[in-house]
Amino acid sequence: MPPTLIEKHSKQLLQVMPATSNCMSRLTRLDRQWTMATMTGKINCSRIAQTLIDFIIKTQENFSGLRQNLIDILIKENTNKVVQEISAVAQVVIDILKRNLFERTADVGFLATDEDLVRFLSNPERYSHEVSIIEDRLREYRDKYTVYNEIIILDTEGRVCAHLDQNNKITASRDRLIRETLEAKDYVETYRSSDLAPESGKVLIYSQAIKSPGTGTNLGVLCLIFDFDGEMDGVFKHLSEFSKDTVLIVLDDRGCAIASSNSDSIPVGRRINMNLDEDFQIVSINSTPYLSKTVRTKGYQGFFGLPWYGHVLKRLDTAFSGSSNNSFDAATIRDKAHFSGRLTHVEEASENVLSDLELVVQNGEIMAAKKCIAPNPVEQMEGRALPHILNEIKKIGDQVQSVFQHSTDELLQLVTASRLHDTQFLAQLAIDIMDRNLYERANDCRWWALTSDFKTILAKPTIDDADRDRMRRILSYINSLYTVYTNLFVYDRTGKILGCSNPGEYDKEGRILNAGYVVEATRITDSQLYCVSDFIKTDLYASEGQDRYTYIYNASITAHEDSTHVLGGIGIVFDSEPEFKAMLGDVLPKDGQGRIIEGAEGMFVEPGGKLISATNPARKPGEIINLDPDFTKLNEGESAVKLTEEDGSLYAVGCAHSAGYREYKRDGSYKNNVLCVVRVLI
């Protein structure tokens, strides 16, 4: 952080830092006492100790310089701590949102090619029972992907052919979005008011043209209206511990708030002064000063979406009111913490100055003793007065040093407490990202199992090469949109693999799977249910001839006419190694070049110790990790953090237990206990 930025606001910052302000007051008071003692010595002992007094004055000047250095460091480190905290939260706000929206781009791309929707739009005469059938299909989709408020199908003239929200009384749209979508190569992302949702204000819409598969002719437009308010409420609630004196905001490219955790302070639509080039700003909102930080999204898998920003406002008058945790041993932190050197060098400099002062006092006492027996009565008188003055200056010097050490101890403890808090937050964030990601996987397998072609092909008594090629093409297209899978495969009731998305896996076709997850999937008759393998080592996720660990999500494929008649299932192989490592890597602290900082690592692990993923290359999925017993006792949604010592260094170790997302792992249909452990060098 540029020192000039803090210097610019130093006076205002000092006013809201109670501990630093108190330190400055104490040092100023001691400086005045030192001046008075020195003046007394100058008046009463200048004949015998002028050189000594000059040195004491010089020592006082050195202390005064160190005092200013100490205050500057206290202001800088306190400001750095808070700015790092709000920057991390601002980044989370925008990046979690963008991760979610990335999935929506795949959703609209796949659903726009759904055979039932294509067939529905291909028929110019659409009877009410056909509309009901297609709306039931859309409803089933929304029941799985619960992130949508409304799904609308329009023809090329903007006439509404089917939609879900019966409270949305629309029959046609004149929105330019229709024409833009028909002319676009793929999806269109739009955020504004629209006659597609006239009562909803601004809405986030993902739209894509529905085309004839044979000719590529436009048949109509599919619009998915995202539950933006619900999503942001969930994000803000997850970060609620930071919002007691903080407002979390998403800004558009003009700086207007499009989502706010506190609509009383910052209502949607309010314009905020954002500056992406500065580490922080101090702004006034409703006559209340705030620390302000704006960040760009890091994007997700190349997706950045609309130009939105994460923004955090933290009340200035309470930003620095947190107290240090006195349970930390300041001496241990000073000796072993990685960061302590830059905070203690002023204290060490003051110790050197005080050591020189002690030597001067000792020499002065010897001088005074000699003068007390000198023949000159004036010198005798000054010799008797000098020890009292030196003793007073020594006491003041000791008090100054005590203030320096106390302030440094307090800062060391405060920064350590902040590091622990941040590490616990990172563990919570990583496990939340994991739950959100795997929620989408549970949705995907259930929806793709409803693909009409799969039902039709599996219902045949024999499946020929043309059927297999058709399945392969559909699976391959899906896989091209949803890139987090290495393979998608369809199997019959016996568990025999019939078709794969990945040409490299075609050799698996014809194999009969006897895995428990296949048996479970082929017993499912409710389209809302799914099953997931344990975190298993399997050749269905092999690389270079080596089996690897992953999750395989499954759903049953049932007959068109009778949903209780199971024809087979679909299995989707999650690309766990790079995906889980990316989730962990995204949350770990990084240096200016974007590299994970030294000593930081994270892992996903089962409570029993089975490793799922780790950023440390020495750790491999499937190995058993020795976990802190307190971490294994955490319940769903709970987290903890500890300060540990290892090889002479201190680490903050945070752990969080998964809590699920929306209905995923919360409705009782699937249970999967996972811990995230994050370790950061202190």
Side-chain angles (χ1 to χ4, degrees), residues 535 551 603-612 619 622-634 655-658 672-677:
F535 189 68
Y551 293 109
M603 61 183 176
F604 293 126
V605 59
E606 295 177 353
K610 183 179 179 180
L611 184 68
I612 294 172
R619 299 186 185 276
E623 72 175 82
I624 302 302
I625 302 296
N626 291 322
L627 293 170
D628 188 298
D630 290 340
F631 292 165
T632 64
K633 297 174 185 176
L634 292 173
C655 181
H657 192 296
S658 62
N672 180 35
N673 293 315
V674 177
L675 303 174
C676 178
V677 179

Side-chain angles (χ1 to χ4, degrees), residues 175-236:
D175 196 317
R176 66 179 185 276
L177 164 69
I178 309 301
R179 183 56 48 198
E180 291 171 357
T181 305
L182 291 170
E183 294 174 353
K185 292 182 178 179
D186 48 20
Y187 71 88
V188 174
E189 185 181 25
T190 307
Y191 180 75
R192 54 174 168 75
S193 298
S194 171
D195 63 4
L196 290 165
E199 304 297 324
S200 300
K202 291 184 177 180
V203 287
L204 180 58
I205 304 172
Y206 288 86
S207 57
Q208 185 148 332
I210 299 174
K211 298 177 181 292
S212 169
T215 64
T217 305
N218 286 328
L219 300 174
V221 172
L222 170 69
C223 294
L224 307 181
I225 300 182
F226 181 66
D227 180 15
F228 182 69
D229 291 340
E231 172 65 10
M232 293 316 305
D233 285 346
V235 171
F236 294 148

